[in-house]
Amino acid sequence: MTKIGLTASLPEIDNRPDSVFVMHERSEKLIPFHRHTKGQLSYVEGGLAYITTENKTYVVPARHYFWIPQGLVHELRVGIFATALRSLYFYSADDHANEFYSKLGIYPASELLIQMINYTERWDERHLSNGDHNFEFLVAMKNMLPTLNKRSLPIMLPNTEHVLMQKIMKYIQDHIGQKLIIADISEHFAMSERSLSRLFQAQLHISFLQYVKTLRMITAIEMIVKTQKPIADIAFEVGYAAVASFSDTFYDFTSSRPSDLRRR
């Protein structure tokens, strides 16, 4: 059977509201803004994936999974060709049973969940619903999700259409390896520190320091996945003088060490 691809399959996802639709995709793709009436569980086998909503972009590293709640408009971009995106679109009738199903979240994947998701490849591009021999397996998978991880990883950058804020964000990105303090940034853009701090909160709903830290971690994740540079070099290139400090911050964001992500 010829695979039709995730983008072409979008209309098929909601055809049977009571089913689970299985879709395993191995390609570099941009799936434009869309929504579906089912909740989406996707496992990123290798590389990176990016989820963009109206005002945020989330980064999903390899061997992590994400849940997108039903009805949420989003764009999905698979970053490099080696990435395999394994997705299951679940019926939403019982989503009210747990708040997990109502929030977008990114989580490290356990070996158990990975094996369960891989097992579903035999049903690729198929709907399974009540009465199908293997449907209870998928029901059990959905029911276990809220028990696997209690905290979604904070690997997210806010977006804005504010022109000055975009210029400031671009400046920080271009100088990510340098020492970045709010006093220097505000002086560069002829603003007071107080005004710049307020601008971050008003436009991005995040502090200056948290934005810089998050951007550094996302840049580091991309470099670890896409290059063979030593971890120490990556730490320096994203603005850390000490590898230990970089590794600790990286762990706070991803629940793994930089070397663990590299091995994956």
Side-chain angles (χ1 to χ4, degrees):
M1 181 177 67
T2 302
K3 288 181 66 65
I4 60 177
L6 181 53
T7 301
S9 296
L10 291 178
E12 178 66 22
I13 292 170
D14 290 333
N15 274 353
R16 293 171 55 182
D18 62 342
S19 75
V20 180
F21 182 71
V22 180
M23 185 75 199
H24 291 253
E25 181 77 11
R26 288 180 176 273
S27 61
E28 181 174 3
K29 277 194 176 295
L30 172 67
I31 298 92
F33 279 100
H34 64 284
R35 74 172 78 193
H36 28 75
T37 61
K38 294 181 177 181
Q40 178 180 349
L41 167 66
S42 290
Y43 168 60
V44 181
E45 189 170 87
L48 295 169
Y50 301 84
I51 308 164
T52 299
T53 61
E54 180 182 10
N55 56 6
K56 295 176 183 176
T57 295
Y58 300 80
V59 179
V60 190
R63 292 181 66 86
H64 285 67
Y65 70 94
F66 58 86
W67 175 265
I68 297 178
Q70 59 101 5
L72 179 67
V73 177
H74 63 282
E75 176 189 81
L76 182 58
R77 179 164 60 92
V78 178
I80 58 175
F81 187 79
T83 299
L85 188 68
R86 304 184 181 276
S87 300
L88 296 96
Y89 298 85
F90 284 90
Y91 51 88
S92 58
D94 63 347
D95 282 3
H96 62 277
N98 194 294
E99 65 176 357
F100 172 91
Y101 304 115
S102 65
K103 300 177 181 178
L104 191 156
I106 302 166
Y107 311 91
S110 66
E111 288 300 327
L112 172 61
L113 184 62
I114 292 171
Q115 292 303 319
M116 293 179 75
I117 292 174
N118 286 342
Y119 185 79
T120 68
E121 188 167 14
R122 64 196 63 202
W123 309 312
D124 195 17
E125 296 187 6
R126 284 178 54 191
H127 287 277
L128 283 84
S129 57
N130 194 20
D132 291 316
H133 179 67
N134 298 290
F135 184 62
E136 290 304 319
F137 177 86
L138 299 174
V139 172
M141 185 188 300
K142 182 181 180 182
N143 290 341
M144 71 184 286
L145 292 177
T147 70
L148 294 177
N149 304 97
K150 301 301 183 184
R151 184 177 73 97
S152 175
L153 302 183
I155 316 176
M156 174 273 298
L157 277 179
N159 303 320
T160 180
E161 298 298 323
H162 192 277
V163 176
L164 176 58
M165 191 75 253
Q166 288 182 336
K167 292 179 180 179
I168 295 170
M169 293 161 65
K170 179 65 165 56
Y171 179 87
I172 293 173
Q173 182 178 352
D174 291 343
H175 297 82
I176 196 65
Q178 301 175 15
K179 186 176 182 180
L180 293 168
I181 59 176
I182 194 167
D184 293 341
I185 305 296
S186 58
E187 181 179 356
H188 179 83
F189 286 94
M191 304 172 63
S192 69
E193 293 180 39
R194 185 179 181 85
S195 296
L196 182 58
S197 179
R198 285 179 170 176
L199 187 62
F200 267 88
Q201 291 293 350
Q203 294 299 323
L204 303 183
H205 308 290
I206 190 174
S207 72
F208 168 81
L209 289 177
Q210 190 65 23
Y211 179 84
V212 171
K213 183 187 293 186
T214 303
L215 181 60
R216 282 176 166 152
M217 289 301 102
I218 289 175
T219 305
I221 289 170
E222 292 173 337
M223 293 176 69
I224 289 169
V225 170
K226 296 179 179 180
T227 76
Q228 294 301 316
K229 292 182 178 180
I231 299 299
D233 290 356
I234 292 174
F236 178 76
E237 289 189 33
V238 297
Y240 284 83
V243 176
S245 177
F246 166 71
S247 181
D248 289 345
T249 304
F250 193 92
Y251 185 85
D252 289 341
F253 269 75
T254 66
S255 298
S256 66
R257 297 292 176 181
S259 55
D260 295 334
L261 181 62
R262 170 63 58 78
R263 282 194 294 270
R264 292 172 182 174

